[in-house]
Amino acid sequence: MLSPEYLLATFSYVGLALIIFAETGLLLGFFLPGDSLLITAGLFAARGDLGIVEIIVLVIVAAFLGNLSGYFIGRRFGPAVFARVKFLKPEYVEQAREYFDERGNQALVLARFVPIIRTLLPTLAGTIQMNPRTFMISNAIGAVLWGTSVPLAGYFLGKIIPKDVLDKYILVIVGVILVLSFIPVLLEINKRRRR
């Protein structure tokens, strides 16, 4: 049911916008297929099933609004959660604040390209009360870069691969892309374990 091909064939643009919004802004959306959905949408556009311009505009708007909602959720509820949950220590908030003061803009832009992190970072930014103007600028830049580049990658891939091959192997192609999108997360986890 969460297959990108099924979601796009069944729910089209509306499903795409809702899933991108949830995946980028609601903490429970971390399991949704962000990158693979955008690549698949680009592949669908290459086949002529969807429009690439419509996809890009929808994704940019949904990603921007998703992160914005995550930020406000963190701003409103984050401090209370950190105060009540025992394993979330106050020093974690301070460490996050220091990190955001140093690299917050870059982190928010680059997080767009890393599954799970793109879901969590906006809420964390709100929790530590990151400057709203700074957040909005980074959010907009990240939404435009991610919302343009990933669907276009799928679109150009779809134009290179012959239509009959694409139709036959679309699930394999999307599966490979999904696995590749988790490599940065696994590398970061491995790096942290070594420390």
Side-chain angles (χ1 to χ4, degrees), residues 82-95:
F82 270 87
R84 289 192 181 120
V85 179
K86 292 184 187 208
F87 69 87
L88 296 174
K89 299 176 182 172
E91 60 261 26
Y92 295 164
V93 176
E94 198 48 48
Q95 289 171 354

Side-chain angles (χ1 to χ4, degrees), residues 70-179:
Y71 176 81
F72 284 116
I73 288 169
R75 200 165 172 95
R76 172 70 177 95
F77 300 107
V81 169
F82 270 87
R84 289 192 181 120
V85 179
K86 292 184 187 208
F87 69 87
L88 296 174
K89 299 176 182 172
E91 60 261 26
Y92 295 164
V93 176
E94 198 48 48
Q95 289 171 354
R97 186 172 284 116
E98 289 171 13
Y99 181 81
F100 270 93
D101 287 344
E102 220 175 282
R103 298 188 184 104
N105 297 347
Q106 299 161 349
L108 283 167
V109 172
L110 295 176
R112 290 284 187 182
F113 296 91
V114 184
I116 301 171
I117 303 300
R118 78 173 141 256
T119 307
L120 302 175
L121 216 54
T123 306
L124 183 58
T127 301
I128 63 157
Q129 311 285 312
M130 182 179 186
N131 179 293
R133 185 175 188 277
T134 305
F135 176 82
M136 294 286 225
I137 293 168
S138 300
N139 181 18
I141 292 168
V144 169
L145 290 175
W146 185 63
T148 303
S149 64
V150 180
L152 280 177
Y155 180 78
F156 290 126
L157 184 64
K159 289 295 187 186
I160 293 169
I161 299 172
K163 188 174 180 347
D164 58 327
V165 173
L166 184 60
D167 288 343
K168 190 173 181 181
Y169 295 107
I170 192 166
L171 289 177
V172 174
I173 294 167
V174 171
V176 168
I177 291 165
L178 185 61
V179 169

